[in-house]
């Protein structure tokens, strides 16, 4: 076992070169090639090993191919019949054994990593438990130990293991944060999946749904925000605080009657739809309208909320939220004021 | 009319070729539309729903209706000739297989005009493919269309098994059989074992959708993961059904143009069998992220990697066939030589995908899209191009233009690598597959643009090939019996195109590469194994066509059995299964006629044979 691993290490220089080439690829908060956590690192380690072996194979095949195609090309006037070689036992054994060795070199660390990543931390007292539920086309995150739910933004304390339990409310989805970890499907309850990852560094990471789940599958994005322990605890407390409703009682009434039929804020409403508590401080609206006051990579949160509420189907085709003006009878003005209120609903 | 009633394997081959070509064209246009939509971020060329229909139909069409029939076309055109037979074992069934495939394919494509194409991906994972989330008839077209088309494939597979087992010319032992005949044989065996799985799966899914059963519906106690197992127990062998014939073609083309026998023939045979066997053991590598647990993932990872070993044997044997040869780069051999490195690239990413923990990252991303297109386009489609250019003179009696052939090759292969190479990186940079668009600023934009340009180039290559066909068909027949001059197998010992009865006298096979052996021994042609005598031929018949029409009507009737139509009469006919019954009546009626009316066929007499 150890020895094969060691022979793999001989490929290290090659791995290092690739590492450097590949590290230039993609965004730090998104790319598989720029891992930000141990789970993604171990996948990438295997990928580098595999790529190195495969490049060696390709180089051999390409050079033999180029050689024979140039060297043995029929020249004008050349008309003799080459010797009809039957084969060569020795050569054939050679190219059976070499691939076999290469396969073993890759198989050993593969199996080892499979079992290492199989560790799901569900019994670990220090791990933060999160129940992930996939919905067409949004993500719900529940923290059973704290009794809170949130949506679209997964807040986690940096450096801690997060023990996930994943299911879906409708069709299959797949939970994927490329820079932190590989993906895992969300199956219906009964086939609940568990896995775990951690994000050592504070920051925001982009997550995606990776299993075709309907028209807006490509828009089923989310963010993972790793914060310090203190910030995390503050956030938990703020989430538990009683709901803040619009100041204008008429608007508050409309909001409660129409929006809280499905959504929840603080201790009020239902969570059929995404929980809206503190939506003003989220990274995005609907997972894809990026909140950015500098307007470089999106728009301010209030504008995004208006965009969403005025045209939900336009933003995310096929999503299951009723249209505020057509289905709920809200006026344009009411919609704008609700957007304004939600944008101001911040947790910090 | 002649074409509707024919049972001649050579004509059926041409039917398969045109029909497969038609569907390949449709699938290709779908691919170009998909690529056009992805040319830039947040494009709105097609909407999300249409996009999902496009990817579903593109994948389904290409695999079941595009490349499989073209494979069947080549098998039909070549196999009986290569083994020295006068036809396939069951000519009537052969025609039936073609017509059920065609009507299944037509049914599937009717969905574009009848209120929505299937939209749940070619894998049709439940619950997305259930009525609750896919409300149009799209997925019904998928289940029923594929069921009917699959019937044709199964019939074809069984037919080739029987043909190869029973109809080889005297002296042609299994170990003297050409490689293409071998891969056809193994492919047919895979069809025999894999297609029943999808048949059962499709029946269960049809019951879920039309009769309200709950096999795959979680709320009703069904299991979506069960569908994935059934689908991939079929689906993984299916990719070997596709690639093995390409291996066979390459193993024919390379020796011919290197003027050298295939290196390591027996290890090639052994490797083919091993690949087929392993192909059945590794389905769950499509399901690493489903949550099967580390033990299953480890086992399937290792068994998948093992497939690299027999595949490697093949690659090196091809290279060493070229080694020391006298290699001529006519168009078929250009494609065959382009195949080797290209397919190897698809193969190595396959091994990378097999490493389960790495696959957690690759799965369902553009890396996978790149991988399987390297295998099916870079491998199979290149193999088919090689085979078509190679056997075209035998099938049609005309040589394709070499100049246009070279243009096809260079545009196609350049376009191919441009399109798919960059997709590996898109996947690694975080782009999932099956997304109808993507947000800007993710570093996806340039590579997607490159990919779309490449797809356009491949389209051009295909158009050049079409031009070649048209130009060639206008020319007078010019192909000799052995137009490549170095033909090694039996099909090159008879005229191009072959007469209806193929061999005036069944040839006697004296070794591997039978025709080459006779040529090098200084003989003009094959030694006959029988005196000239009267040749029995099967009669033409419209019954296979009629039976397939019946199945087609029954399928439509069943699909719409729950619908309400504007007219009460139409609703009545559909809702009481009268349309379904009518269709089945046509089919069974035709079957009954076939059994009651004994058709002994006809004979070509020696006098007629000599008269030519
Ligand atoms: C003409 C060249 C082709 C191009 C440009 C092309 C392009 C594409 C693209 C862009 C996708 C969608 C990827 C995604 O988001 O999932 C796709 C999917 C697919 N393609 Fe192709 N393709 C081509 C030829 C083929 C051929 C010849 C085959 C099979 C023989 C094939 C089989 C598939 C399959 C099975 C899928 C997956 C469909 C699904 O997700 O359900 N493609 N192709
Ligand atoms: Cu999705």
């Amino acid at each position: 076992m150890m020895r094969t691993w060691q022979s793999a290490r001989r490929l290290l220089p090659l791995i290092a070169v690739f590492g450097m080439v590949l590290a230039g690829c993609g965004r730090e908060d998104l790319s598989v090639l720029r891992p930000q956590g141990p789970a993604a690192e171990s996948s990438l380690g295997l990928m580098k090993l595999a790529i190195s072996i495969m490049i060696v194979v390709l180089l051999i095949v390409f050079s033999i191919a180029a050689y024979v195609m140039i060297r043995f090309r029929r020249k004008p006037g050349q008309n003799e019949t080459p010797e009809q070689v039957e084969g060569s036992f020795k050569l054939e054994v050679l190219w059976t054994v070499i691939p076999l060795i290469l396969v073993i070199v890759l198989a050993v660390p593969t199996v080892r990593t499979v079992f290492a990543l199989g560790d799901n931390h569900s019994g670990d007292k220090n791990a933060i438990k999160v129940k992930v539920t996939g919905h067409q086309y949004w993500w719900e995150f529940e923290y059973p130990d704290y009794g809170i739910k949130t949506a679209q933004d997964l807040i986690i304390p940096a450096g801690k293991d997060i023990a996930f339990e994943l299911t879906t409310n409708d069709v299959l989805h797949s939970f994927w944060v490329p820079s932190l970890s590989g993906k895992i499907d969300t199956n219906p309850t009964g086939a609940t999946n568990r896995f775990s990852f951690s994000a050592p560094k504070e920051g925001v990471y982009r997550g995606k749904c990776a299993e075709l789940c309907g028209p807006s599958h490509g828009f089923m994005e989310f963010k993972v925000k790793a914060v310090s322990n203190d910030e995390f605890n503050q956030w938990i407390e703020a989430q538990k605080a009683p709901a803040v409703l619009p100041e204008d009682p008429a608007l508050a009434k409309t909001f409660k009657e129409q929006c809280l039929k499905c959504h929840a804020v603080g201790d009020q409403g239902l969570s059929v739809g995404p929980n809206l508590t503190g939506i003003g401080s989220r990274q995005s609206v609907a997972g894809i309208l990026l909140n950015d006051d500098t307007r470089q990579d999106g728009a301010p949160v209030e504008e995004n909320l208006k965009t969403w509420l005025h045209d939900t189907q336009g933003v995310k085709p096929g999503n299951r939220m009723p249209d505020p003006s057509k289905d709920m009878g809200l006026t344009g003005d009411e919609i704008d004021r609700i957007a304004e209120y939600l944008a101001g609903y911040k947790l910090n | 009319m002649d074409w509707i009633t024919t049972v001649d394997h050579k004509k059926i081959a041409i039917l398969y070729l045109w029909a497969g070509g038609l569907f390949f064209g449709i699938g290709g246009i779908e691919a170009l539309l998909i690529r056009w939509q992805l040319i830039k971020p947040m494009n709105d060329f097609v909407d999300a729903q249409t996009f999902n229909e496009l990817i579903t139909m593109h994948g389904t069409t290409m695999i079941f209706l595009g490349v499989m029939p073209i494979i069947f076309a080549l098998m039909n055109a070549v196999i009986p000739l290569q083994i020295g037979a006068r036809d396939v074992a069951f000519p009537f069934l052969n025609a039936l297989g073609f017509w059920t495939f065609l009507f299944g394919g037509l049914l599937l494509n009717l969905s574009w005009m009848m209120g929505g194409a299937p939209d749940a991906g070619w894998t049709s994972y439940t619950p997305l493919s259930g009525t609750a989330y896919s409300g149009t008839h799209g997925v019904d077209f998928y289940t029923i269309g594929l069921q009917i088309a699959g019937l044709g494939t199964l019939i074809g597979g069984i037919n080739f098994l029987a043909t190869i087992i029973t109809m080889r010319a005297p002296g042609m032992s299994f170990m003297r059989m050409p490689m293409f005949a071998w891969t056809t044989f193994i492919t047919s065996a895979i069809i025999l074992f894999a297609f029943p799985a999808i048949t059962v799966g499709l029946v269960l899914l049809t019951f879920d959708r039309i009769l309200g059963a709950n096999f795959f519906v979680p709320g009703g106690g069904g299991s979506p993961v069960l569908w994935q197992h059934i689908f991939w127990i079929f689906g993984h062998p299916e990719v070997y059904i596709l690639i093995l014939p390409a291996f066979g073609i390459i193993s024919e083309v390379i020796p011919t143009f290197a003027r050298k026998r295939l290196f390591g023939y027996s290890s090639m045979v052994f490797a083919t069998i091993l690949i087929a066997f392993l192909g059945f053991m590794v389905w769950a590598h499509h399901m690493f992220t489903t949550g099967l647990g580390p033990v299953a993932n480890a086992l399937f990872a290792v068994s998948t990697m093992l497939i690299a070993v027999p595949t490697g044997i093949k690659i090196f044997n091809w290279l060493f066939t070229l080694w020391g040869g006298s290699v001529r780069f006519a168009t078929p051999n250009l494609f065959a030589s382009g195949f080797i490195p290209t397919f190897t690239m698809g193969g190595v990413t396959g091994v990378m995908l097999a490493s389960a923990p790495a696959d957690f990252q690759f799965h369902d991303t553009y890396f996978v899209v790149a991988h399987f297109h390297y295998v099916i386009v870079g491998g199979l489609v290149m193999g088919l191009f090689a085979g078509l250019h190679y056997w075209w003179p035998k099938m049609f009696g005309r040589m394709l233009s070499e100049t246009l052939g070279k243009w096809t090759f260079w545009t196609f292969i350049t376009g191919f690598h441009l399109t798919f190479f960059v997709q590996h990186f898109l996947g690694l940079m975080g782009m999932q597959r099956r997304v109808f668009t993507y947000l800007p600023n993710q570093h996806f934009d340039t590579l997607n643009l490159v990919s779309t340009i490449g797809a356009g180039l491949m389209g051009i290559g295909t158009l050049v090939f079409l031009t070649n066909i048209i130009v060639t068909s206008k020319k007078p027949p010019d192909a000799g019996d052995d137009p490549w001059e170095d033909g090694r197998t039996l099909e090159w010992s008879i005229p191009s195109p072959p007469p209806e009865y193929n061999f005036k006298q069944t040839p006697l096979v004296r070794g591997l590469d039978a025709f080459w052996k006779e040529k090098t021994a200084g003989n003009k042609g094959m030694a006959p194994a029988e005196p000239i005598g009267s040749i029995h031929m099967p009669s033409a018949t419209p019954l296979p066509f009629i039976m397939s029409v019946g199945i087609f009507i029954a399928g439509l009737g069943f699909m719409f059995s729950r619908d309400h139509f504007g007219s009460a009469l139409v609703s009545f006919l559909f809702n009481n299964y009268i349309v379904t019954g009518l269709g089945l009546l046509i089919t069974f009626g035709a079957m009954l006629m076939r059994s009651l009316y004994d058709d002994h066929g006809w004979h070509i007499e020696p006098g007629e044979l000599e008269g030519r």
Side-chain angles (χ1 to χ4, degrees), chain A residues 233-245:
Chain A
N233 291 331
Q234 276 168 21
W235 177 77
I236 295 280
E237 288 315 310
Q239 277 283 335
K240 286 184 180 165
V244 184
L245 287 177

Side-chain angles (χ1 to χ4, degrees), chain B residues 145-203:
Chain B
L146 287 190
Q147 193 71 275
I148 297 175
L151 206 61
T153 311
L154 197 51
I155 292 175
I158 294 173
N159 211 340
F160 282 118
L161 279 178
T163 307
I164 294 175
I165 293 174
T166 62
M167 296 177 65
R168 282 163 293 129
M172 179 167 286
S173 62
F174 267 96
M175 290 315 276
R176 283 180 182 174
M177 220 159 64
M179 245 356 256
F180 184 58
W182 256 113
T183 55
T184 300
F185 182 67
I186 307 286
T187 303
S188 307
I190 305 180
I191 290 177
L192 184 64
F193 290 108
F195 266 71
I198 191 71
T199 306
V200 169
L202 289 173
V203 167

Side-chain angles (χ1 to χ4, degrees), chain B residues 230-359:
Chain B
I230 296 180
F231 184 87
W232 288 116
I233 284 174
F234 148 79
H236 196 76
E238 166 70 19
V239 304
Y240 293 94
I241 295 174
L242 300 179
I243 200 65
L244 290 184
F247 287 174
I249 295 170
I250 302 303
S251 305
E252 298 294 318
V253 171
I254 286 189
T256 299
F257 292 94
R259 233 180 229 175
K260 205 166 147 261
R261 67 170 278 177
L262 185 66
F263 195 90
Y265 171 84
S266 36
S267 64
M268 289 299 237
V269 172
F270 178 70
T272 312
I273 297 173
L274 201 62
I275 292 176
F277 177 76
L278 288 175
F280 277 97
M281 319 297 279
V282 299
W283 77 91
H285 72 208
H286 296 271
M287 299 164 64
F288 283 150
T289 67
T290 311
L292 301 177
V295 178
N297 281 1
L299 281 173
F300 281 101
V302 174
S303 51
T304 305
M305 289 178 188
L306 283 180
I307 297 186
V309 177
T311 314
I313 296 180
K314 293 201 154 250
I315 304 243
F316 285 104
N317 278 342
W318 287 320
L319 289 176
F320 275 73
T321 306
L322 292 167
W323 192 291
S326 163
V327 187
R328 180 178 151 206
F329 286 99
T331 310
N333 199 32
L334 273 183
F335 278 104
S337 320
F339 167 97
I340 300 177
T342 309
F343 178 78
T344 312
M345 289 174 73
V348 297
T349 50
V351 179
M352 294 174 65
L353 289 168
S355 180
D359 186 64

